[in-house]
Amino acid sequence: MLKKSLTEDAQEVFRAIALIELGARMQVLESEFTLSRDRMIRLYREVKGVSPPKGMLPFSADWYMTWLANIHASLFYNTNTYTFLKNEAGCSHLDALTKGYRLYLEHCNHSGAEAVLDLTRAWTLVRFFDAGMLQMTPCCCTGKFVAHKHDLQNNVVCGACQPPSRAGKTKKAAAARQCQSRSRAGGNVEKRSAGARGAHGTRSRSGVTAATGGPGRTGCLGGSGAAVFRGPSARMVRTG
């Protein structure tokens, strides 16, 4: 068994750290690196601070055929990300995956959209393409989108050109719109309350001024026959 050099081992460790920071699962790390499982678990705990999650990886290619997932998968694989970095820039598989996913996240942050693909989904997408299960199909808009292998390619329209009728009308979007409407309604109520308090204070000050006869004058306050002299020369209080 050939031993790895220290530089190769350090490169694998740094690449594993980069994938863990982006959200890679243990199955992804075990498939891409030759590090021992115990070492990768310890590395995951050091980077994330928690134990690696358990469970199976996504195994169905049908998930990438839904409307929003298909747009994001096409953006990651074809549009200036993974394919460009691997074929044009000459990056390796892992470097293209890491840099392409970071570029995909930058696109989502710049446009204010939520990243639908996580790193595990992106890695699985690349595996499906390598296995010949998926292909890029041209659309009438001259773009290409992810589709099943050997599907019809004549007069095909992508989800971005022809979205479904309820596109974007999810429970999460409805909850976000409801929160925005509540916040706007709360702001309007606060403004009205502040205006009412200001008007009440103005009326109170005007009532006190009228009752005291104005500043520097003699007036009467309250009942029970109590007369209070508030003039500048007044020195006594007279009770009836």
Side-chain angles (χ1 to χ4, degrees), residues 93-116:
H93 162 65
L94 281 178
D95 291 339
L97 178 65
T98 306
K99 296 178 181 179
Y101 188 74
R102 285 175 178 169
L103 186 59
Y104 161 75
L105 294 179
E106 291 179 3
H107 280 301
C108 294
N109 294 333
H110 181 71
S111 59
E114 182 183 0
V116 178

Side-chain angles (χ1 to χ4, degrees), residues 38-103:
D38 294 338
R39 190 175 180 184
M40 284 190 290
I41 291 176
R42 287 190 287 108
L43 189 63
Y44 192 97
R45 289 175 178 172
E46 289 181 7
V47 176
K48 289 290 188 178
V50 294
S51 299
K54 300 178 181 180
M56 297 179 60
L57 293 182
F59 57 88
S60 177
D62 294 335
W63 184 86
Y64 302 96
M65 300 300 113
T66 57
W67 169 70
L68 190 58
N70 189 267
I71 295 176
H72 283 255
S74 304
L75 174 66
F76 167 76
Y77 191 81
N78 186 52
T79 311
N80 298 332
T81 48
Y82 179 82
T83 304
F84 175 81
L85 291 172
K86 186 176 181 181
N87 298 335
E88 303 297 333
C91 296
S92 62
H93 162 65
L94 281 178
D95 291 339
L97 178 65
T98 306
K99 296 178 181 179
Y101 188 74
R102 285 175 178 169
L103 186 59

Side-chain angles (χ1 to χ4, degrees), residues 84-171:
F84 175 81
L85 291 172
K86 186 176 181 181
N87 298 335
E88 303 297 333
C91 296
S92 62
H93 162 65
L94 281 178
D95 291 339
L97 178 65
T98 306
K99 296 178 181 179
Y101 188 74
R102 285 175 178 169
L103 186 59
Y104 161 75
L105 294 179
E106 291 179 3
H107 280 301
C108 294
N109 294 333
H110 181 71
S111 59
E114 182 183 0
V116 178
L117 286 180
D118 56 8
L119 184 68
T120 303
R121 290 284 187 182
W123 177 79
T124 308
L125 176 68
V126 175
R127 300 264 293 188
F128 285 156
F129 270 97
D130 293 341
M133 298 175 61
L134 299 176
Q135 67 180 7
M136 299 303 297
T137 300
C139 177
C140 59
C141 63
T142 68
K144 293 183 179 181
F145 63 98
V146 177
H148 285 294
K149 192 72 171 179
H150 307 303
D151 277 353
L152 297 178
Q153 299 187 11
N154 295 329
N155 301 325
V156 182
V157 181
C158 64
C161 297
Q162 188 177 359
S165 58
R166 295 189 58 82
K169 298 180 181 179
T170 59
K171 294 182 179 179

Side-chain angles (χ1 to χ4, degrees), residues 4 6-22 24 29 33 35 39-40 43 46-47 94-95 98 102:
K4 293 186 298 183
L6 294 178
T7 56
E8 293 177 353
D9 186 75
Q11 288 178 358
E12 281 203 350
V13 170
F14 284 123
R15 288 178 176 176
I17 291 174
L19 291 181
I20 292 173
E21 290 176 346
L22 293 175
L29 301 177
F33 302 107
L35 301 174
R39 190 175 180 184
M40 284 190 290
L43 189 63
E46 289 181 7
V47 176
L94 281 178
D95 291 339
T98 306
R102 285 175 178 169

